[in-house]
């Protein structure tokens, strides 16, 4: 799916949200390939979950049934713990032809990740491969939040090896989860990302998610502390000269930061949510979710012979979409927010203004 086709689909997504037609496939897909993780983060308990993961063959069948998408995020757990992860990416590339593949990683597997990333980049020449290394603090502080001694040093080894890769279709960023444990340390993490020459520095707020088993966890920073941190980042983004894909990403980030502040303050959907219409997530065992916050299943792909459309156009899926449309939930989930902002003409206009004239 190219950019022009994506833009042409926006009116169709808006029609679908308002009237339930035309039938249309998502453009933003998150695929969780595993719950296994070698980190023990203060903001995530996903590693405690156990399930019968999809095989490579099952992913292949699913990707074939989905067809073209614009953006795929491979999440976990830690994606690189799967020995067939490179092959999963190749399958997605061949069947879905994404414009962007985004891969977050904790960077612990410094002796495996760089080689795997290079193979993915070489095997997907028409797709922009974006790897975001998770950094939640500096040195020991990062290790404490991530629950693994030596995590920071291993992540830096991974970053250094990835930074040496020189491919036009490869972007390397730093990703930080802003929580009550590090909200006061955001300026120093930003300075590290700048020193590392990261192509982008992105953040998302720690929140309660069914997927991550963090419901009821006291991990979200106060609106006051978060606003202080995010206002600092917004000011730096406006001053820094980004280019190419990074400039577009950072323009969306500025709008996302404002969206999060408003969502936390007003406790409602401040722009219409298109989760379950323009975006969705597939769990490691084949459940299809509108998003990972509630992780409410539309159906399981194993029950329909991996035919995604049978679930996507089902009555159960329509019930979940109706609940979202009726604003029975709200959240600042970063991944879904991208497509929400893309489908909101006011927000999209602000992004285009920044990209073209700032």
């Amino acid at each position: 799916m190219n950019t022009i086709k994506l833009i042409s689909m926006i009116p169709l997504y808006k029609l679908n949200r308002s009237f339930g037609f035309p039938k249309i496939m998502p453009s933003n897909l998150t695929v969780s390939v595993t719950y296994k993780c070698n980190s023990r983060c203060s903001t995530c308990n996903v590693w405690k979950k156990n399930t019968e993961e999809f095989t490579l063959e099952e992913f292949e069948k699913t990707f074939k049934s989905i067809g073209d998408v614009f953006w795929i995020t491979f999440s976990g757990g830690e994606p690189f713990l799967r020995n067939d992860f490179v092959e999963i990416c190749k399958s997605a590339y061949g069947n879905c032809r994404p414009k962007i593949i985004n891969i977050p990683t904790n960077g612990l597997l410094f002796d495996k990740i760089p080689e795997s990333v290079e193979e993915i980049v070489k095997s997907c020449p028409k797709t922009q491969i974006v790897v975001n290394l998770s950094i939640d603090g500096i040195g020991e502080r990062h290790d404490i939040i991530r629950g693994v001694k030596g995590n920071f040093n291993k992540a830096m080894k991974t970053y250094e090896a990835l930074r040496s890769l020189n491919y036009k279709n490869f972007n390397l960023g730093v990703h930080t989860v802003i929580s009550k444990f590090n909200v006061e340390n955001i300026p120093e993490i930003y300075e590290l990302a700048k020193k590392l020459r990261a192509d982008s520095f992105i953040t998302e707020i720690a929140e309660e998610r069914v997927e991550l088993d963090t419901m009821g966890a006291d991990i979200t920073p106060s609106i006051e502390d978060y606003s202080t941190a995010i206002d600092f980042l917004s000011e730096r983004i406006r001053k820094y000269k980004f280019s190419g894909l990074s400039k577009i990403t950072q323009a969306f980030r500025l709008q996302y930061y404002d969206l999060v502040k408003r969502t936390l303050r007003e406790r409602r959907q401040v722009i219409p949510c298109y989760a379950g219409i323009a975006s969705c997530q597939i769990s490691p065992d084949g459940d299809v979710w509108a998003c990972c916050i509630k992780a409410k299943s539309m159906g399981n792909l194993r029950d329909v012979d991996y035919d995604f459309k049978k679930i996507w156009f089902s009555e159960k899926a329509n019930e979940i979409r109706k609940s979202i449309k009726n604003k029975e939930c709200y959240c600042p989930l970063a991944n879904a927010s991208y497509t929400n902002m893309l489908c909101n003409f006011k927000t999209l206009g602000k992004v285009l203004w920044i990209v073209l004239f700032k």
Side-chain angles (χ1 to χ4, degrees):
M1 182 187 297
N2 58 38
T3 305
I4 294 175
K5 183 177 180 181
L6 174 65
I7 293 173
S8 71
M9 291 174 70
I10 295 175
L12 302 181
Y13 286 134
K14 296 176 80 69
L15 281 171
N16 184 280
R17 188 177 186 278
S18 297
F19 305 108
F21 65 84
K23 291 184 176 181
I24 189 168
M25 295 287 280
S27 57
N28 180 355
L29 179 65
T30 298
V31 181
S32 184
V33 296
T34 184
Y35 288 138
K36 296 183 179 69
C37 192
N38 44 1
S39 288
R40 296 292 182 265
C41 300
S42 303
T43 56
C44 176
N45 294 314
V46 74
W47 58 273
K48 294 181 179 180
K49 302 174 79 171
N50 187 29
T51 192
E52 185 183 346
E53 296 174 353
F54 257 29
T55 63
L56 174 60
E57 182 183 7
E58 289 178 303
F59 277 121
E60 175 83 10
K61 291 177 181 179
T62 299
F63 294 147
K64 281 183 179 179
S65 77
I66 293 173
D68 287 8
V69 296
F70 186 81
W71 183 303
I72 297 179
T73 296
F74 285 108
S75 69
E78 170 54 44
F80 289 99
L81 282 174
R82 284 196 62 138
N83 292 327
D84 58 358
F85 180 58
V86 172
E87 298 306 315
I88 292 173
C89 291
K90 290 180 182 179
S91 176
Y93 176 76
N95 290 292
C96 302
R97 297 185 293 180
K99 193 72 174 177
I100 300 169
I101 289 179
N102 177 55
I103 307 170
T105 177
N106 59 28
L108 280 171
L109 301 175
F110 62 88
D111 55 347
K112 178 182 180 181
I113 293 172
E115 181 180 350
S116 297
V117 169
E118 185 167 25
E119 186 174 352
I120 293 169
V121 170
K122 287 181 177 180
S123 301
C124 308
K126 295 183 180 180
T127 294
Q128 197 70 30
I129 306 300
V130 181
V131 174
N132 285 308
L133 186 72
S134 296
I135 299 294
D136 290 340
I138 309 297
E140 187 179 2
R141 185 62 189 158
H142 176 75
D143 295 354
I144 292 172
I145 293 173
R146 288 268 154 177
V148 176
K149 188 175 182 180
N151 191 326
F152 183 79
N153 289 335
K154 290 178 180 178
M156 289 300 98
K157 284 184 180 180
T158 298
Y159 187 93
E160 183 179 352
L162 290 174
R163 186 73 286 173
S164 67
L165 299 181
N166 186 23
Y167 297 92
K168 289 184 178 180
N169 66 321
F170 176 59
N171 279 70
L172 178 60
V174 169
H175 173 271
T176 298
V177 176
I178 301 181
S179 67
K180 62 178 294 184
F181 309 112
N182 66 356
V183 65
E184 296 179 355
N185 307 119
I186 296 306
E188 63 184 65
I189 300 174
Y190 169 82
E191 290 302 325
L192 173 65
K194 186 176 178 182
K195 181 180 178 181
L196 292 173
R197 299 180 294 112
D199 295 318
S200 63
F201 175 58
I202 63 175
T203 71
E204 61 179 308
I205 191 168
E207 53 190 325
E208 298 180 11
R209 300 186 190 180
V210 171
E211 179 201 23
L212 304 183
D213 192 24
T214 53
M215 301 304 295
D218 185 19
I219 58 177
T220 306
S222 68
I223 178 61
E224 293 80 14
D225 288 343
Y226 179 80
S227 295
T228 298
I230 225 62
D231 288 347
F232 167 86
L233 290 179
S234 297
E235 180 185 358
R236 295 305 186 277
I237 290 173
R238 291 188 177 94
K239 289 181 178 179
Y240 196 83
K241 298 298 181 182
F242 295 97
S243 61
L245 178 63
S246 293
K247 186 172 184 178
I248 297 172
T249 300
Q250 296 306 323
F252 270 103
R253 279 285 144 183
L254 286 173
Q255 300 308 310
Y256 169 69
Y257 293 152
D258 181 64
L259 182 65
V260 175
K261 287 195 296 183
R262 289 185 60 193
T263 301
L264 292 176
R265 185 168 54 248
E266 300 174 26
R267 303 180 67 81
R268 66 179 182 89
Q269 287 183 28
V270 296
I271 64 173
C273 181
Y274 288 80
I277 299 174
S279 64
C280 71
Q281 182 158 340
I282 298 174
S283 73
D285 60 351
D287 274 340
V288 178
W289 305 329
C291 75
C292 64
I293 300 298
K294 286 190 171 182
K296 192 171 183 179
S297 179
M298 296 177 170
N300 191 282
L301 288 158
R302 284 173 171 151
D303 296 333
V304 293
D305 196 26
Y306 311 99
D307 187 343
F308 182 87
K309 294 183 181 67
K310 284 186 178 179
I311 293 175
W312 194 243
F313 299 127
S314 68
E315 284 304 312
K316 182 67 176 294
N318 288 335
E319 290 174 9
I320 292 173
R321 293 186 187 106
K322 183 178 179 181
S323 173
I324 296 171
K325 179 185 175 182
N326 290 339
K327 300 184 178 181
E328 295 173 10
C329 58
Y330 66 90
C331 74
L333 178 65
N335 207 312
S337 292
Y338 270 120
T339 42
N340 293 345
M341 291 186 290
L342 188 66
C343 293
N344 183 268
F345 289 141
K346 183 177 180 180
T347 303
L348 183 59
K350 291 179 180 179
V351 169
L352 292 175
W353 176 264
I354 294 171
V355 171
L356 296 174
F357 302 110
K358 294 294 185 178

